[in-house]
Amino acid sequence: MTTLSDAPVSSAALRNIAIIAHVDHGKTTLTDQLLAQGGAYRENEARAERAMDSNPQEKERGITILAKCTSIVYGQGADEVRINIVDTPGHADFGGEVERVLSMVDGCLLLVDATEGPMPQTKFVLTKALALGLRPIVVLNKVDRPTARPDEVLDEVFELFMALNATNEQLDFPSVYASGRDGWASLMLDGSRENLNPLFETIIEHVPAPDAALRRDEPFKMLVTMLDSDPFLGRILTGRVESGRLTAGTVVKGLSIDGKTIERSRISKVLAFRGLRRQPIEEAEAGDIVSIAGLSTTTVADTIGDMDVTDAIHATPIDPPTLSVTVMVNSSPLAGRDGDKVQSRVIRDRLLKQAETDVAIKVTETADKDAYELQGRGELQIGVLLEGMRREGFEMSISRPRVLTKLDEDTGQKMEPLEEVVIDVDDEYAGVVVEKMSIRKGELQDMRPSGGGKTRVTFLAPARGLIGYHSEFLTDTRGSGIMNRIFHSWTSWKGNINGRHNGALIANDSGKSVVYALWYLEERGVLFIDGGEDVYQGMIIGENAKPEDMDVNPLKEKKLSNVRSSGKDEAMRLTPPRRMTLEQAIAWIDDDELVEITPKSIRIRKMELNPAFRKRKPKAD
C-alpha cells in the first residue's frame, strides 16, 4: 500500500469502478475499508464511519442518497495503480444517480448480501450495468454471518445474469467473498481473511484500463455526469475525460445533447479525487474522472470540449419519473411564522435548481400557474428533497402523490406503472400481507420460505395501490416485515383502488389545543397533536377510528365551579400522539388534503378549511 500522491497517473495505471448493490447490502461500509486500506488516511488521522455519506439526511436515514467519487492507490513503484471509485445509492428511488454514473466507469463491483441474495434493486442496477457492456465482479458480502448461504446466493446471482441475457464474457464473472465491516476479502470461502488485497488484485486484473488512453492526443471532450456547488468556486461539473487533455485556464465550450453551443468559458480549476478530498491538479488526461469549475450554464448530460469540437457525446437516457406531487405556497392561517422562504418564485427557483442536478426529477408549472408539479421516482426521493428544503427555511403545501400515466401508442389505452414488490416477513404474517396486497390489485408471483422462520413473497402491483401502504404494512407485521419495490413495466389501468380506510378528525376552531378536550377525543381515534399546540379550523388533528371525517373541538375547556369533588381534579394524561415523518404524512393524506411543511412543523389540513364549503364538495372517487 502507498499513500495518495498528486502525481499524474497514466491511463494504463488507472481503473474506474462503481460499487452497485441493493440498499443495506454494505456498499458504503466496504468503501470505508477500501479507503482505509488504500492510503486515504494519514496514520494519525481520525477515520469517520460511513465517510462517503456526507449529507446530513444520509447519516440520519442510514442510506446513500447521492453518488460520490473517491480515489485510492494500490501497489508501489512501477506497480502503483490508482482506482477511482464511485459509491452509488442502493434505494430504487435514487436509481437515476446509478444510471448516469455507470456511463463513466469501466467496471463495477456487484455487492450481494450472502444472506438475502439478489433483491429488486440488485436486478435493476445489474440490468443497467450489463446493458452498458460492463463485466461485473460479484462480491458476496457479510459471509461471516451465521445465516449466510454463499453457495446458494452465488447460484441465484448466476441465474439472475442468465435471466438478464448476459453475454458469455459477462457470465464468466469472478466472485469474491468478503466482510466489508471487518475489512477482509478472499477468493475462496475458506481462504485467509486478512485484508482486502484479493479484492484490489481482482479489480486490477479484471477491470480494463480506460480505452480513452488511445484518444489522448485528440481534442478534449468530457460528458458531465454530476453537478454540485462550492461556496468559493461556484458550480462544479464532474465527469470522465473521454479524449484529450485539460489544463486550468483553457477556454472550452459547453454543448447540449443535440450539439448546440450553450456557452464559452475559461476553466478556473481542474480538480481530481484524492481519497476523501478533491484537490487541484495541473492537467487531466483522457480516462480520468475529474471535476472542473468555471462554467455557469452547462449542466448534467451536456458535453464540455475544446473550441473546435462540434459533436456532443451521447448521454445514456434515464428512465422517466413515475410519481408526482403538487407543490404550492403555504396558505394556512399559520403561514410565515417559521420559515423565511415562502414566496412562489423562491420555491420555483429551488425546485428548478434540484431538477438541474438530479436527472430523475422533473418540475413543471400547473395549468393555473399558481403551483408546481414535482415528478420523481418515488415517495422517498420526493420526501428527501422536500425535507431538505424544509431545513433550508422553506414553507410549502404538498398534495397527495399521484402516479403518472400514459396512453398506449397502438391501442390508445390508459397505462399505469407496475412495480415488482419483494416482501420478507415472518411466516405468521404472510397471510395478512397477501390479503392486503390483493386488495390493492397486487398479483402474487412467488412465495417461498427464506429461512429463519421467514417467507419471501413477490408481487406485481400497480404503484398507485402502494401509496400509503408502508405504514399499514409495518403495523400488520409488528414492524418485522421488510418491503422492497422497484419499477417493473407499464400495464393497463387496473380500475379503482380504495385509499385510506379511516377518516380524519378535523379541528372546527382556531387557537391552542387543550388537554381536557383532547382527553375526550382520544376515544374517537389516534391523535396527531398534544396539548398546547397551535391549531386552526380545517387542520387535521387525528385519524378517526371510523371511515368518515369528523369535525371536533380541540379547544373545549373544563367548566370551573366552586364545588370540588373527589377525583375531578386528577391530572389527565394523554397517550403520546402519532408524530408522522414527512414521507408518512404525504402517504397518509387523501385527495382533498394537504401536508403543510414548515422548518419547525409538519401539519396536515383539508384543502378547503371552511367546513360549510367543504361539505359542498364531495370527495372524488
Side-chain angles (χ1 to χ4, degrees):
M1 295 293 168
T2 67
T3 56
L4 294 168
S5 67
D6 298 330
V9 180
S10 68
S11 296
L14 188 65
R15 299 293 186 272
N16 297 321
I17 64 167
I19 301 182
I20 58 177
H22 183 79
V23 65
D24 203 31
H25 277 202
K27 296 180 305 304
T28 306
T29 304
L30 179 64
T31 304
D32 283 348
Q33 291 291 344
L34 290 171
L35 286 166
Q37 298 186 31
Y41 299 99
R42 301 186 306 272
E43 289 186 7
N44 61 344
E45 186 175 359
R47 301 181 182 183
E49 185 178 351
R50 292 171 48 224
M52 296 293 287
D53 286 349
S54 55
N55 186 295
Q57 289 198 62
E58 290 179 321
K59 293 188 179 295
E60 292 170 15
R61 297 170 184 265
I63 60 173
T64 300
I65 296 173
L66 303 173
K68 304 174 198 68
C69 298
T70 187
S71 169
I72 56 177
V73 170
Y74 181 77
Q76 294 181 344
D79 297 328
E80 183 176 294
V81 177
R82 184 179 301 281
I83 303 174
N84 287 325
I85 300 175
V86 185
D87 184 22
T88 64
H91 198 283
D93 283 15
F94 306 104
E97 292 277 327
V98 181
E99 291 177 73
R100 62 183 185 183
V101 301
L102 286 179
S103 63
M104 66 178 181
V105 298
D106 306 291
C108 62
L109 303 182
L110 178 67
L111 235 68
V112 184
D113 189 304
T115 299
E116 291 188 353
M119 298 294 282
Q121 182 70 357
T122 311
K123 180 180 178 181
F124 172 79
V125 295
L126 181 58
T127 301
K128 299 299 179 182
L130 296 178
L132 290 170
L134 301 180
R135 295 176 58 199
I137 298 171
V138 175
V139 180
L140 296 176
N141 196 26
K142 308 180 184 180
V143 295
D144 51 345
R145 281 187 171 182
T147 55
R149 46 188 188 93
D151 293 335
E152 295 175 42
V153 169
L154 192 58
D155 290 340
E156 292 172 7
V157 172
F158 185 82
E159 291 172 4
L160 181 59
F161 272 74
M162 291 283 289
L164 297 177
N165 298 318
T167 64
N168 290 334
E169 291 78 14
Q170 290 169 330
L171 283 171
D172 188 23
F173 57 81
S175 57
V176 180
Y177 303 94
S179 170
R181 181 194 62 186
D182 296 335
W184 60 261
S186 176
L187 301 180
M188 305 292 292
L189 184 58
D190 55 355
S192 62
R193 301 182 173 185
E194 298 176 2
N195 50 40
L196 291 173
N197 285 5
L199 180 57
F200 283 119
E201 291 164 3
T202 303
I203 292 171
I204 294 170
E205 178 184 350
H206 187 75
V207 177
D211 59 4
L214 304 175
R215 301 188 293 273
R216 192 179 305 165
D217 298 324
E218 297 179 10
F220 164 72
K221 265 188 182 183
M222 185 181 98
L223 179 68
V224 180
T225 309
M226 292 185 283
L227 169 67
D228 58 355
S229 61
D230 183 272
F232 304 104
L233 300 176
R235 298 168 83 252
I236 297 180
L237 307 172
T238 301
R240 181 176 66 176
V241 180
E242 296 295 335
S243 62
R245 295 179 172 87
L246 176 67
T247 57
T250 304
V251 177
V252 297
K253 66 178 178 180
L255 298 172
S256 61
I257 297 176
D258 54 6
K260 294 181 180 178
T261 300
I262 302 171
E263 65 174 326
R264 294 178 175 86
S265 184
R266 186 180 301 276
I267 300 299
S268 59
K269 287 282 185 180
V270 180
L271 307 164
F273 296 93
R274 299 294 181 258
L276 296 175
R277 291 172 288 275
R278 196 158 40 187
Q279 298 179 357
I281 58 174
E282 293 297 324
E283 183 181 67
E285 290 190 348
D288 203 0
I289 297 175
V290 296
S291 298
I292 61 176
L295 289 90
S296 59
T297 309
T298 306
T299 186
V300 173
D302 292 337
T303 300
I304 303 171
D306 285 341
M307 296 303 293
D308 55 350
V309 170
T310 57
D311 299 327
I313 301 172
H314 172 71
T316 305
I318 303 297
D319 288 346
T322 59
L323 201 69
S324 74
V325 297
T326 301
V327 182
M328 62 199 80
V329 171
N330 182 16
S331 58
S332 87
L334 301 180
R337 293 191 180 185
D338 299 338
D340 55 0
K341 299 171 183 175
V342 298
Q343 303 93 338
S344 176
R345 171 184 54 81
V346 178
I347 295 173
R348 169 185 173 274
D349 292 345
R350 177 63 178 84
L351 292 176
L352 291 176
K353 180 181 177 182
Q354 183 68 26
E356 184 181 22
T357 60
D358 190 341
V359 292
I361 279 181
K362 293 183 179 179
V363 179
T364 56
E365 201 168 32
T366 57
D368 51 8
K369 307 291 185 181
D370 65 344
Y372 304 95
E373 184 179 21
L374 173 63
Q375 301 178 2
R377 289 282 180 85
E379 295 163 50
L380 179 61
Q381 183 191 29
I382 291 175
V384 166
L385 167 57
L386 297 176
E387 176 66 25
M389 293 176 64
R390 174 184 171 225
R391 297 182 183 191
E392 294 168 16
F394 283 86
E395 286 195 13
M396 302 161 289
S397 292
I398 312 298
S399 73
R400 185 174 190 264
R402 304 175 300 278
V403 296
L404 299 174
T405 60
K406 67 176 184 177
L407 295 179
D408 187 279
E409 296 180 357
D410 299 326
T411 64
Q413 191 177 21
K414 187 178 181 181
M415 309 286 286
E416 66 174 323
L418 190 71
E419 296 197 356
E420 179 182 354
V421 186
V422 178
I423 294 175
D424 287 299
V425 65
D426 291 342
D427 295 341
E428 60 187 297
Y429 304 127
V432 67
V433 168
V434 172
E435 179 185 354
K436 292 291 182 69
M437 287 295 293
S438 63
I439 293 174
R440 295 171 177 268
K441 302 292 177 76
E443 298 177 3
L444 181 64
Q445 301 295 305
D446 186 35
M447 187 171 180
R448 65 178 68 179
S450 56
K454 290 187 174 290
T455 300
R456 176 167 294 178
V457 197
T458 305
F459 298 90
L460 290 180
R464 180 167 49 100
L466 296 172
I467 295 175
Y469 173 59
H470 193 258
S471 59
E472 184 180 342
F473 165 76
L474 291 177
T475 301
D476 291 339
T477 61
R478 304 298 187 271
S480 63
I482 299 174
M483 179 170 62
N484 295 287
R485 41 189 281 204
I486 193 167
F487 174 77
H488 181 270
S489 60
W490 290 91
T491 187
S492 57
W493 185 258
K494 295 290 186 180
N496 183 52
I497 298 177
N498 293 327
R500 193 177 76 218
H501 301 298
N502 299 81
L505 299 177
I506 310 164
N508 62 5
D509 203 353
S510 302
K512 284 194 178 291
S513 59
V514 178
V515 172
Y516 178 80
L518 297 181
W519 192 79
Y520 284 99
L521 289 177
E522 280 191 332
E523 62 186 28
R524 300 290 186 181
V526 179
L527 296 180
F528 299 159
I529 65 170
D530 212 334
E533 296 187 22
D534 290 319
V535 298
Y536 53 84
Q537 186 183 61
M539 176 177 160
I540 296 174
I541 64 166
E543 181 180 73
N544 193 3
K546 296 182 179 180
E548 64 273 3
D549 291 343
M550 179 184 295
D551 289 298
V552 297
N553 182 10
L555 312 181
K556 183 179 179 181
E557 296 182 338
K558 181 180 179 182
K559 299 296 183 182
L560 299 178
S561 70
N562 293 328
V563 180
R564 294 174 178 264
S565 59
S566 176
K568 291 290 185 181
D569 295 326
E570 290 180 359
M572 293 180 172
R573 294 183 180 179
L574 296 177
T575 304
R578 183 200 295 177
R579 301 291 188 184
M580 291 192 187
T581 64
L582 180 54
E583 294 96 74
Q584 290 171 340
I586 293 174
W588 184 86
I589 60 175
D590 221 329
D591 291 330
D592 64 337
E593 297 163 356
L594 297 172
V595 177
E596 176 191 349
I597 303 172
T598 76
K600 296 181 181 179
S601 304
I602 296 174
R603 305 184 185 96
I604 303 175
R605 51 164 284 191
K606 287 290 184 180
M607 285 186 182
E608 181 55 65
L609 299 179
N610 191 311
F613 294 158
R614 193 164 59 240
K615 290 174 182 177
R616 298 176 190 173
K617 298 179 180 180
K619 284 187 180 181
D621 293 333

